[in-house]
Amino acid sequence: MKYEPQKLEAKWSAYWERQGLFKATEDPSKEKYYLLEMFPYPSGKIHMGHVRNYTIGDVVARYKRMCGKNVLHPMGWDAFGMPAENAAIENNSHPAQWTYGNIEAMKVQLRRMGFSYDWDRELATCDPEYYRWEQLIFLKMYEKGLAYKKRTHVNWCEKCQSVLANEQVENGCCWRHTDQEVTIKEMDSWFLKITDYAEEILDYCDKLPGWPERVLSMQRNWIGKSYGAIIRFLLVDSGEVIEVFTTRQDTVYGATFLCFAPEHPMVKEMVKGLPKEKEVLEFIDRTLKMDSYMRTAEFTAKEGVFTGRYCLNPVTDEKIPIFVANFVLFDYGTGAIMAVPTHDQRDFEFAKKYDLKLRVVIKPPDRDLHEDEMTEAYVDEGILVNSGPFDGQRNLGALDSIAEFLESKGSGYKTTNLRLRDWGISRQRYWGTPIPIIICDKCGTVPVPEEDLPVVLPLDLDMRPNGGSPLPFEPSFYETTCPKCRGKARRETDTMDTFVESSWYFDRYACPDYDQGPLDSERVDYWMPVDQYIGGIEHAILHLLYSRFYTRVMRDFGHLKVSEPFTNLLTQGMVCKETQECPEHGYLYPYEVKDGRCVQCQAEIITGNTVKMSKSKRNVVDPEDLIERYGADTVRMFCLFASPPEKDLEWNDQGVEGSYRFLNRVWRVVVDHIDDTTKVTAYGGKEALSDRLKALHRKTHQTIKKVTDDIENRFHFNTAISAVMELVNEISQFMNEMVEKDETAWSVVREAVETAVVLLSPVVPHIAEELWYMLGHDKSLLTIPWPVYREEALEAEKILVVLQVNGKVRNRIEVPSSYSQNEIETEALADERVQRFISGKPVKKVIVVKNKLVNVVV
RNA sequence: GCCUGGGUGGCGGAAUUGGUAGACGCAAGGGACUUAAAAUCCCUCGGAGCUAAGUCUCUGUACGAGUUCGAUUCUCGUCCCAGGCACCA
């Protein structure tokens, strides 16, 4: 009988579905386990990244189920987003049609992979039954001031035709269009007040031991809390207060000028009617026209303009000039800084350029420092000088007392500052959740009344050929009446960032059919938090930070009890492959290359670096082709075997071949002796065994131990698979040389074979199920308990002991396991090879590690 | 510059608490079976050296020190790679 994966895989996945084996029901008497993989954007086809991500998850889900846990393993669709709009324009169809069609296609593929999802809980975020609750939460947030509209400077991506959140800008470019520079626009935008929760989110970074350190450190970094002070400077001839944030209040005596960010509204006020006004306004204009990346890049020269105004340094009472400078950020701190050219490199460069005053206030411990000799700022620790009552103190030691001194004078206070900004969620897009707000000329911004939800995205409109959102051009959508005054009003035509949908979908899986509110607390409280979340590292900040925020908002609204949505996080590596390039035809798909040559022009191809699989580099492998050729089990197995999950996976066609070979080997090891093994029951540890049988029995149980440990504690499926490979090798070797052919022998073989099949079943469920059935079982592997190793089976009569002389391995001997330390030592010292290396020298010391090694020191 | 990872054969990777470095697989080479091929099975496989034969010797986990009877593993320093943050006051 041949291994025919296509046939048996179809059979078993149909069987699982029919039996409803993946259905999860709330059962308080059982321990729950919520396993979740990041849901996909329905692009229409799964790619290897999905396959890897979902295979990892599926192994854990199946394993936990066999361990007796009540497993929730859902799947759904992150279904809003721009590609749908673009595709619709291209194909002259509708985003909804395109999206739902893709969902169907991808679902077929996921089913084909044999993933154990409870499809009854499937959800698509573009479904009004989903986003209506998101709109409701938005209204509640609006009510509480957690959602607000602000006219401000925002990131604009020309290709998205939309605003982006700060998190969605990478190196000054759009995260989706990495070649599109983001520009700054001033416009009305909706924000969610993530900063209100920043402290809590930051604190909890220390309470997430199940998260990878690098993700936590990226989040801490992004929140960017720093400790310092607000210091007040009085504007001369006005008495207005200018506040600056600094972490270096120890240098306040050296602050010899002040700089404003060009966006700062106070600047225009300050220069109004002054001779400098025109020059200042021109500078502001010029600076703001630059894209944000260029303006704030380190290599951009520091530039500024004097405003003509002065303020008073609160500790020296000195009149110091006020500048507008390009390097000062409006949305960090207060948008204005005190400049201490002697102890800050940026300020130093600025001061040199505009010939501004320098005053040293920190001197190195070992020498003096003179302003006119300085070629760069002195930024190290030192002793305070020219600092009034603080002279002679160590600068870092005086941070607190200077802050208190400022506070006592009413000139400032100690505080902290965050880098994190509120989450901008307005998108000038069509295919997203409408923001449930009405704008009335008379009443202003008015929330849509709850009973009018959902504000449904109209489906019967034409996409605009230039790619912009059709909503602002669709009177049937935007024309409405004001809920307050009943007058004519206009709907908000911005939609929400799609990251809002993905910030709570995991909660909704607990109760996808609930229609009384966003969440059914009883079910959500049973399932949440997610015990294990698995997804790509690219969401380290974006999705994972937003979700931690949104969960807390939902908690404070009483929808759920947890603060953290994901107890354990596994960030799997990328799937990579080398690129292949033809000098003539550019990057080639694997099928465009034959024997190292381009199929079109026969030119020799250039093999490039191994990089993340992407269509643009054409270094992709289509999972569908592989399934067709080898079956889903082989694909699953290779994804797990090639490397541990958190590392990048280097695609290797020969490796896939190897996995396929192994499955064939397993197949033969079972099928070739099926008549003999099905005549007996699996060995249960009772009958006495010969040494040879004992060895196989021991290997069987060692493998159970190893595989369990690898999956349970480390998610190291590669080593788990290796262990089963060893067992299978040992079984086939045993059968080759099999001398005993009695019932006991076959029952030990049967135990070994069944164990291999069961241990492999989470990884390659289809073939495992088929072999299990052939071994005479009639219940699915999904319903049988995960095997437990027997301690006594691991014990051996003889133990291998390594003999070292001066730490170098000189021999290996077998001793009875009953030997005491002394007996082992005696045996070791008597060993001929050990004696040779001692060569008569006096033995200084003998170290005996029980059951492991003896080291003789001479 | 700061923060996090990481550096082991030709390759992917093992070595879990400091105790046999290179499990398992891929590639390569040799052999068996076959008319032949495929498939399968067996053997070799870090480097260098020595031998009639190896139960042989030396060396080896980026580099340099250190702790230890013993270090891929712990400590310090250096170099390199990847990712994140960065004119953040």
Side-chain angles (χ1 to χ4, degrees):
Chain A
M1 219 188 320
K2 247 182 86 190
Y3 170 45
E4 291 176 298
Q6 278 72 16
K7 254 193 218 163
L8 68 91
E9 287 179 2
K11 179 173 81 182
W12 287 106
S13 54
Y15 173 84
W16 296 324
E17 299 260 344
R18 224 174 27 246
Q19 303 280 314
L21 286 167
F22 308 139
K23 235 184 111 43
T25 28
E26 296 72 27
D27 179 353
S29 70
K30 274 173 92 182
E31 201 185 333
K32 68 97 184 180
Y33 189 86
Y34 186 177
L35 182 115
L36 185 67
E37 300 119 45
M38 291 179 184
F39 66 166
Y41 178 79
S43 58
K45 255 185 158 216
I46 59 170
H47 54 67
M48 283 316 301
H50 292 130
V51 169
R52 185 178 193 206
N53 188 175
Y54 301 157
T55 301
I56 293 166
D58 200 50
V59 174
V60 179
R62 286 173 179 268
Y63 166 77
K64 291 287 178 184
R65 196 169 274 126
M66 291 173 85
C67 290
K69 297 276 170 62
N70 191 18
V71 173
L72 173 58
H73 188 209
M75 180 46 69
W77 311 97
D78 189 10
F80 271 140
M82 230 198 16
E85 293 181 44
N86 295 338
I89 295 165
E90 253 171 63
N91 313 328
N92 203 19
S93 71
H94 191 276
Q97 200 187 335
W98 184 83
T99 303
Y100 282 107
N102 285 350
I103 287 176
E104 283 321 302
M106 285 175 81
K107 214 164 135 179
V108 170
Q109 291 190 303
L110 293 181
R111 283 201 149 104
R112 183 65 188 82
M113 284 301 299
F115 297 140
S116 61
Y117 300 125
D118 178 359
W119 283 109
D120 290 353
R121 292 174 186 259
E122 177 184 6
L123 57 83
T125 55
C126 62
D127 183 349
E129 285 310 302
Y130 181 82
Y131 67 71
R132 64 179 297 187
W133 303 117
E134 196 166 297
Q135 292 177 334
L136 182 70
I137 303 278
F138 180 89
L139 290 178
K140 281 197 182 178
M141 290 177 81
Y142 178 75
E143 206 177 293
K144 294 255 155 72
L146 288 170
Y148 64 93
K149 191 163 89 171
K150 189 168 77 171
R151 185 165 187 83
T152 183
H153 298 88
V154 289
N155 311 299
W156 176 267
C157 171
E158 197 56 35
K159 285 200 178 150
C160 288
Q161 282 287 304
S162 179
V163 165
L164 299 175
N166 292 341
E167 290 77 13
Q168 291 151 24
V169 180
E170 291 170 356
N171 298 321
C173 292
C174 171
W175 71 300
R176 279 291 185 223
H177 307 104
T178 47
D179 52 346
Q180 178 64 53
E181 278 180 3
V182 166
T183 53
I184 299 296
K185 262 196 179 183
E186 191 179 349
M187 58 196 295
D188 285 327
S189 252
W190 285 94
F191 291 88
L192 299 186
K193 224 169 176 186
I194 190 170
T195 51
D196 265 18
Y197 287 87
E199 290 282 346
E200 192 192 333
I201 292 171
L202 184 65
D203 285 348
Y204 270 77
C205 284
D206 298 330
K207 299 175 194 167
L208 285 170
W211 280 43
E213 189 48 45
R214 63 176 178 147
V215 174
L216 293 171
S217 105
M218 276 190 228
Q219 294 211 351
R220 286 191 196 103
N221 221 324
W222 186 260
I223 295 169
K225 184 175 180 177
S226 51
Y227 298 83
I230 290 281
I231 304 180
R232 300 197 179 100
F233 291 71
L234 288 183
L235 187 59
V236 173
D237 302 328
S238 134
E240 266 183 276
V241 173
I242 301 165
E243 294 198 324
V244 304
F245 173 76
T246 180
T247 55
R248 295 296 307 275
Q249 61 269 27
D250 55 322
T251 63
V252 63
Y253 284 85
T256 50
F257 57 100
L258 218 76
C259 288
F260 272 91
E263 295 96 331
H264 205 295
M266 228 176 139
V267 177
K268 284 183 185 170
E269 294 292 314
M270 211 186 297
V271 296
K272 202 163 267 175
L274 294 185
K276 283 269 180 188
E277 181 170 9
K278 202 172 156 227
E279 195 189 332
V280 171
L281 293 184
E282 267 171 19
F283 174 79
I284 292 175
D285 242 30
R286 184 154 47 86
T287 310
L288 292 185
K289 267 199 192 114
M290 286 175 80
D291 70 77
S292 64
Y293 180 65
M294 285 305 289
R295 191 191 126 200
T296 58
E298 199 169 359
F299 52 78
T300 304
K302 284 149 198 52
E303 268 193 302
V305 62
F306 177 46
T307 58
R309 303 288 302 262
Y310 292 86
C311 64
L312 295 178
N313 181 318
V315 289
T316 62
D317 279 331
E318 179 184 19
K319 227 171 104 176
I320 62 174
I322 301 174
F323 282 75
V324 182
N326 63 345
F327 68 91
V328 180
L329 305 173
F330 179 56
D331 56 6
Y332 184 78
T334 63
I337 60 159
M338 67 172 200
V340 184
T342 41
H343 305 293
D344 181 291
Q345 188 56 28
R346 293 158 300 180
D347 299 348
F348 182 83
E349 284 167 34
F350 194 86
K352 282 285 161 197
K353 183 162 181 174
Y354 296 102
D355 202 18
L356 300 166
K357 186 173 173 181
L358 272 61
R359 185 190 306 113
V360 168
V361 289
I362 299 171
K363 91 176 190 63
D366 54 345
R367 63 192 162 94
D368 280 337
L369 199 60
H370 293 289
E371 288 84 1
D372 37 353
E373 289 163 10
M374 290 177 86
T375 54
E376 57 178 6
Y378 177 74
V379 294
D380 296 330
E381 291 175 42
I383 308 297
L384 290 173
V385 292
N386 298 323
S387 295
F390 301 99
D391 278 356
Q393 294 190 25
R394 285 187 27 244
N395 69 313
L396 291 181
L399 275 169
D400 275 345
S401 40
I402 291 182
E404 282 156 24
F405 175 65
L406 287 164
E407 197 155 355
S408 71
K409 291 177 43 138
S411 303
Y413 54 91
K414 220 168 125 174
T415 187
T416 57
N417 191 57
L418 299 179
R419 203 185 78 96
L420 179 75
R421 309 265 49 97
D422 278 338
W423 175 14
I425 57 151
S426 279
R427 295 293 176 273
Q428 290 68 36
R429 302 302 320 173
Y430 161 66
W431 195 232
T433 303
I435 295 175
I437 290 289
I438 291 164
I439 299 132
C440 171
D441 286 342
K442 252 195 263 165
C443 313
T445 305
V446 183
V448 172
E450 269 185 40
E451 58 273 20
D452 291 350
L453 293 184
V455 176
V456 178
L457 201 59
L459 296 184
D460 54 345
L461 40 69
D462 294 324
M463 299 306 295
R464 297 184 68 76
N466 63 2
S469 167
L471 293 177
F473 304 92
E474 193 60 35
S476 65
F477 176 73
Y478 67 71
E479 279 179 357
T480 187
T481 48
C482 171
K484 266 195 189 156
C485 70
R486 294 285 142 204
K488 259 184 105 178
R490 190 184 163 93
R491 273 190 202 287
E492 173 65 74
T493 53
D494 282 358
T495 53
M496 291 191 215
D497 184 358
T498 57
F499 278 106
V500 181
E501 284 92 68
S502 55
S503 293
W504 69 289
Y505 76 106
F506 40 88
D507 300 316
R508 185 71 187 172
Y509 278 141
C511 51
D513 54 351
Y514 190 61
D515 60 3
Q516 303 301 304
L519 299 175
D520 174 0
S521 342
E522 206 174 311
R523 285 189 275 170
V524 171
D525 289 345
Y526 177 73
W527 290 115
M528 284 298 286
V530 173
D531 295 276
Q532 182 66 54
Y533 198 31
I534 306 171
I537 185 75
E538 66 272 17
H539 287 112
I541 296 175
L542 295 155
H543 163 57
L544 291 167
L545 187 70
Y546 295 145
S547 298
R548 295 182 64 206
F549 157 63
Y550 212 80
T551 300
R552 287 170 166 80
V553 172
M554 301 272 274
R555 173 200 66 192
D556 292 349
F557 288 168
H559 293 301
L560 43 80
K561 293 210 171 72
V562 300
S563 298
E564 286 294 343
F566 316 122
T567 308
N568 295 292
L569 174 69
L570 175 70
T571 47
Q572 102 263 1
M574 300 178 296
V575 182
C576 301
K577 195 181 187 323
E578 65 209 0
T579 56
Q580 296 183 303
E581 216 173 336
C582 165
E584 180 107 5
H585 299 95
Y587 287 119
L588 300 178
Y589 286 111
Y591 60 80
E592 294 174 312
V593 179
K594 264 244 160 72
D595 304 321
R597 289 177 181 283
C598 171
V599 289
Q600 283 184 69
C601 64
Q602 296 305 311
E604 211 163 304
I605 58 129
I606 306 147
T607 302
N609 290 343
T610 301
V611 292
K612 182 181 178 171
M613 279 190 184
S614 72
K615 269 197 204 131
S616 61
K617 295 256 165 62
R618 305 204 162 180
N619 58 341
V620 288
V621 175
D622 187 348
E624 197 141 308
D625 296 345
L626 290 165
I627 294 171
E628 220 168 278
R629 192 148 165 205
Y630 301 104
D633 282 339
T634 296
V635 180
R636 291 172 62 117
M637 172 153 152
F638 177 72
C639 280
L640 298 169
F641 182 65
S643 66
E646 64 275 8
K647 268 193 147 187
D648 284 351
L649 184 155
E650 210 173 295
W651 193 264
N652 176 348
D653 291 328
Q654 278 137 355
V656 181
E657 200 78 47
S659 296
Y660 184 63
R661 262 203 303 265
F662 172 69
L663 292 182
N664 272 289
R665 212 167 134 77
V666 174
W667 179 267
R668 282 196 309 274
V669 124
V670 177
V671 173
D672 285 356
H673 302 274
I674 196 79
D675 293 339
D676 295 304
T677 45
T678 45
K679 264 190 275 181
V680 295
T681 52
Y683 180 70
K686 294 232 166 56
E687 300 86 347
L689 299 178
S690 67
D691 282 357
R692 189 67 188 84
L693 285 174
K694 222 178 241 173
L696 179 59
H697 180 60
R698 193 181 312 124
K699 186 74 186 177
T700 301
H701 285 262
Q702 278 168 347
T703 309
I704 297 173
K705 184 171 195 271
K706 169 84 178 143
V707 171
T708 308
D709 186 50
D710 281 346
I711 299 182
E712 177 76 42
N713 302 323
R714 313 197 305 162
F715 293 146
H716 278 198
F717 313 107
N718 56 334
T719 50
I721 293 170
S722 296
V724 182
M725 283 176 167
E726 282 184 53
L727 175 62
V728 171
N729 288 347
E730 185 136 337
I731 297 169
S732 40
Q733 208 178 347
F734 179 87
M735 305 234 255
N736 281 347
E737 61 196 45
M738 193 160 171
V739 268
E740 306 149 89
K741 290 199 171 160
D742 56 10
E743 242 178 69
T744 316
W746 283 118
S747 75
V748 172
V749 170
R750 179 172 180 129
E751 188 199 24
V753 162
E754 286 197 344
T755 301
V757 168
V758 175
L759 294 179
L760 279 176
S761 71
V763 175
V764 285
H766 309 89
I767 186 178
E769 202 78 271
E770 178 76 14
L771 293 173
W772 186 243
Y773 171 79
M774 284 167 65
L775 281 161
H777 299 277
D778 53 6
K779 280 223 270 352
S780 166
L781 276 165
L782 283 157
T783 64
I784 71 138
W786 187 255
V788 180
Y789 68 90
R790 279 194 299 275
E791 197 68 54
E792 63 272 22
L794 301 180
E795 286 162 12
E797 279 94 45
K798 294 223 166 180
I799 287 167
L800 188 75
V801 175
V802 172
L803 305 184
Q804 299 182 331
V805 178
N806 285 343
K808 280 188 182 154
V809 178
R810 295 306 180 188
N811 205 0
R812 303 175 174 101
I813 57 167
E814 280 201 325
V815 300
S817 57
S818 54
Y819 263 29
S820 68
Q821 301 241 356
N822 271 338
E823 284 169 306
I824 295 173
E825 183 177 333
T826 315
E827 190 91 357
L829 285 170
D831 183 79
E832 184 202 335
R833 287 180 47 76
V834 170
Q835 277 303 322
R836 207 170 96 208
F837 281 91
I838 291 174
S839 59
K841 280 171 251 165
V843 174
K844 274 196 215 150
K845 203 169 171 187
V846 180
I847 288 124
V848 181
V849 182
K850 188 115 204 318
N851 299 343
K852 266 214 176 113
L853 112 174
V854 178
N855 187 11
V856 182
V857 187
V858 296

